Amino acid sequence: NMEIKLIPGTGRRVPDEAILSIKAGNARRQAAISSGRPFRFPKSKDLLMKFEILTTLASGYFVLKPDARKARQYKVEFGASDFACAVEVKPMDAGAAAAPAPAAAEDDAGGVSAKDAKEYLESKGVLQFVQAGLAALVQERPADPFAFMARHCLNGNAAHAAEEARQAEAAARAAEEARQREEARQL
């Protein structure tokens, strides 16, 4: 077995938030440059080691729906970038082993304090908007609460309105073309 430790202050400056990835044989270890943790590897006959510095190009979030009985697909959009991906989340059997938790878990809020988060949400009107949406949800109790909330969130959204207008226009064109074909067929 072997242990590799990054020596601070050597080489060119690497951002603290960057991830150092080391591959030795078939084993790969990753940690934030700033973690100071050693990388431990099993003994390997392979003498070649690969080092990579990984940085965030973009980040995005999605909210898991609490119904964990079936697989669901989610779209992850990465902020102001053009990046996006789809992921599938499916429940595991109770006996299946999950991946071990990392030794030093990152702050889920990305280092944002609760006070900063609340101030941001209030300054943008998000907190009041979501609270009003939840109040409407509880009053109406729709069969699909997630679709209800999605409609609530998209209501008044210019991009959503433009897409609905495009869809309505396409449907009207299709109906007109079908009517014209029917008239031509009757002649």
Side-chain angles (χ1 to χ4, degrees):
N1 295 346
M2 73 175 147
E3 182 176 283
I4 299 172
K5 187 171 182 181
L6 186 65
I7 301 170
T10 58
R12 289 183 57 192
R13 177 83 175 109
V14 177
D16 286 341
E17 68 274 5
I19 303 293
L20 178 61
S21 175
I22 304 173
K23 184 173 186 222
N26 291 328
R28 179 182 297 273
R29 304 288 186 263
Q30 296 179 340
I33 294 278
S34 59
S35 74
R37 288 188 356 210
F39 297 84
R40 295 189 175 102
F41 291 92
K43 190 172 186 173
S44 172
K45 293 180 183 178
D46 192 351
L47 300 177
L48 179 65
M49 303 190 71
K50 182 176 183 179
F51 287 73
E52 296 175 303
I53 295 175
L54 312 172
T55 61
T56 303
L57 293 175
S59 62
Y61 300 89
F62 69 87
V63 178
L64 286 170
K65 292 185 178 162
D67 180 11
R69 293 174 283 168
K70 62 181 181 176
R72 290 190 181 271
Q73 290 186 356
Y74 297 89
K75 182 176 182 183
V76 183
E77 294 180 343
F78 294 87
S81 73
D82 291 335
F83 298 130
C85 69
V87 297
E88 180 180 69
V89 178
K90 60 183 176 181
M92 293 174 40
D93 294 332
E106 290 185 26
D107 182 354
D108 288 342
V112 176
S113 73
K115 180 183 174 200
D116 289 342
K118 185 177 181 204
E119 286 175 3
Y120 170 78
L121 292 172
E122 287 178 344
S123 73
K124 300 294 184 182
V126 174
L127 195 57
Q128 299 87 341
F129 181 82
V130 170
Q131 287 172 338
L134 290 173
L137 177 74
V138 170
Q139 287 179 355
E140 293 194 23
R141 298 183 187 269
D144 186 349
F146 299 105
F148 177 88
M149 289 299 290
R151 280 193 307 279
H152 179 69
C153 288
L154 292 173
N155 188 19
N157 180 314
H160 178 67
E163 178 60 26
E164 282 186 337
R166 280 192 295 277
Q167 289 176 356
E169 186 178 307
R173 273 195 311 270
E176 178 62 22
E177 290 170 0
R179 186 188 63 75
Q180 290 174 354
R181 280 193 303 273
E182 183 62 28
E183 284 180 359
R185 194 175 59 96
Q186 291 178 359
L187 292 177

